[in-house]
Amino acid sequence: MTPSQIRAFHLVAREGGFTGAARAANISQPTLSGQVKALETAYGVRLFERRGRQTRPTELGRRLFDVTVRLFAAGDEAEALLSGSAAAEPAHLRIGADSAYHVMPVLAELRRRQAGLTFGLRIGNSTEVMREILAREVDVGVMARPTSDPRVHAVQVRRDRLVLFVAAGHPWWRRRTLRLAELAGRDLVLRERGSITRETFERALAEAGVRPGALVEVETREGVREAVAAGFGVGVVFDSEFGVDARFQALRVADTDLAVGEFAVCLRDRRSIAPIRAFLEIAAALAAPRTPARGVTKL
């Protein structure tokens, strides 16, 4: 096993294919493919499944990638520590978040402190954010899903709560609260599977033995709002994201705890890199006034 072979494997696994990996390494694709093939041949193993244009790690490949993530992260941190210069830190911070609402105040403050730092923001559900963190596709994430993965460093930065909402003209328009049992037989508009909104609410329904009517699945929060406005059913959203919209009335579920934590996460091996560390510190500091009794809990 040579350094070039293990790095070639790591890049292919990280980029999701040989084309992207060759571009990232600035070498030809045949050269990169040859290095990975030599590694597989040397040990008599198969590290990738190649199906058409898709390249996915085998089970052994996924386990090896976990190792190489730590290996190259350690190298990056060592270089940053030894150089002692800002040039060794990323000039571009990649963020994955399950909501723009939760992450924008952090980015605004980070931009004020580090004017030369640029950002790239991806919005997806909590499952997607965690996948992007583990695949090193983003540097830091903000999501509502707690994790016990030892590879991940997480800081709880706030608490939020799910609320229901209905459109003008709905029989519940003038109400402010309801019981979960009242949702029996009612049509609901929910996010896609993999979102913490969907998982938390479906778990609450199951625990209460409540069977709703039709479930309308929509992939974006904006889509959920428009589906509710069009009369497809009762929507579910985080309280912090409800905002001000005269078309809707928010309803609190009085007999069920629908509280959810929000977490800033990064790979544990990368938490001391300056922009990532600054992001986590700012997220915790901005959250502290909202939860003075709890403070910040580190996982």
Side-chain angles (χ1 to χ4, degrees):
M1 177 177 65
T2 67
S4 60
Q5 289 170 356
I6 199 67
R7 181 165 183 80
F9 161 79
H10 176 77
L11 288 172
V12 174
R14 189 187 73 183
E15 300 297 328
F18 286 87
T19 301
R23 189 182 305 116
N26 196 28
I27 62 176
S28 70
Q29 185 171 330
T31 297
L32 191 79
S33 299
Q35 291 170 344
V36 173
K37 183 62 176 177
L39 181 62
E40 292 178 319
T41 300
Y43 290 92
V45 298
R46 189 161 58 96
L47 298 174
F48 292 103
E49 295 177 349
R50 301 166 179 82
R51 296 179 179 175
R53 295 185 177 181
Q54 291 187 334
T55 302
R56 295 181 179 179
T58 61
E59 176 60 29
L60 178 61
R62 286 191 291 270
R63 290 162 58 192
L64 180 59
F65 183 57
D66 289 341
V67 175
T68 61
V69 163
R70 297 193 298 271
L71 173 66
F72 289 107
D76 291 343
E77 289 200 59
E79 182 181 354
L81 179 64
L82 292 171
S83 69
S85 68
E89 305 289 1
H92 181 77
L93 191 65
R94 302 166 301 168
I95 305 103
D98 61 6
S99 170
Y101 177 89
H102 293 131
V103 76
M104 282 302 175
V106 182
L107 295 184
E109 177 61 17
L110 188 57
R111 183 185 182 193
R112 187 187 68 79
R113 295 188 189 184
Q114 301 184 25
L117 192 66
T118 59
F119 309 102
L121 176 61
R122 298 183 181 186
I123 301 296
N125 61 46
S126 293
T127 298
E128 293 168 340
V129 172
M130 178 56 70
R131 181 195 62 77
E132 290 167 349
I133 285 288
L134 294 176
R136 297 172 66 87
E137 294 175 3
V138 298
D139 302 304
V140 66
V142 177
M143 63 180 194
R145 184 188 304 282
T147 178
S148 58
D149 192 315
R151 297 170 294 178
V152 176
H153 175 72
V155 176
Q156 183 174 310
V157 296
R158 62 175 296 159
R159 296 283 286 175
D160 211 336
R161 182 178 302 278
L162 295 180
V163 296
L164 309 182
F165 66 104
V166 295
H170 192 278
W172 294 344
W173 174 252
R174 297 189 180 278
R175 297 182 59 176
R176 298 295 180 270
T177 64
L178 77 160
R179 293 175 293 107
L180 199 64
E182 294 180 76
L183 292 172
R186 293 278 183 174
D187 294 344
L188 301 178
V189 183
L190 295 170
R191 289 286 305 278
E192 75 284 2
R193 294 193 182 277
S195 74
I196 201 68
T197 303
R198 174 79 170 261
E199 289 184 8
T200 300
F201 199 69
E202 286 191 329
R203 182 168 57 248
L205 291 174
E207 291 175 353
V210 175
R211 299 186 64 177
L215 296 181
V216 179
E217 182 177 296
V218 183
E219 289 192 359
T220 65
R221 289 173 176 81
E222 294 76 14
V224 169
R225 297 174 78 89
E226 295 311 311
V228 172
F232 282 91
V234 180
V236 184
V237 71
F238 281 112
D239 188 24
S240 62
E241 298 169 341
F242 182 71
V244 178
D245 192 324
R247 298 178 299 167
F248 304 120
Q249 173 61 51
L251 300 167
R252 182 173 61 86
V253 179
D255 59 346
T256 303
D257 182 11
L258 295 176
V260 179
E262 193 74 18
F263 302 87
V265 299
C266 68
L267 286 173
R268 185 170 296 277
D269 292 333
R270 305 194 73 213
R271 67 186 186 277
S272 62
I273 293 177
I276 296 176
R277 183 176 66 248
F279 184 98
L280 297 176
E281 291 173 351
I282 291 170
L286 291 178
R290 298 173 183 166
T291 55
R294 286 186 299 271
V296 176
T297 302
K298 293 186 178 181
L299 300 183

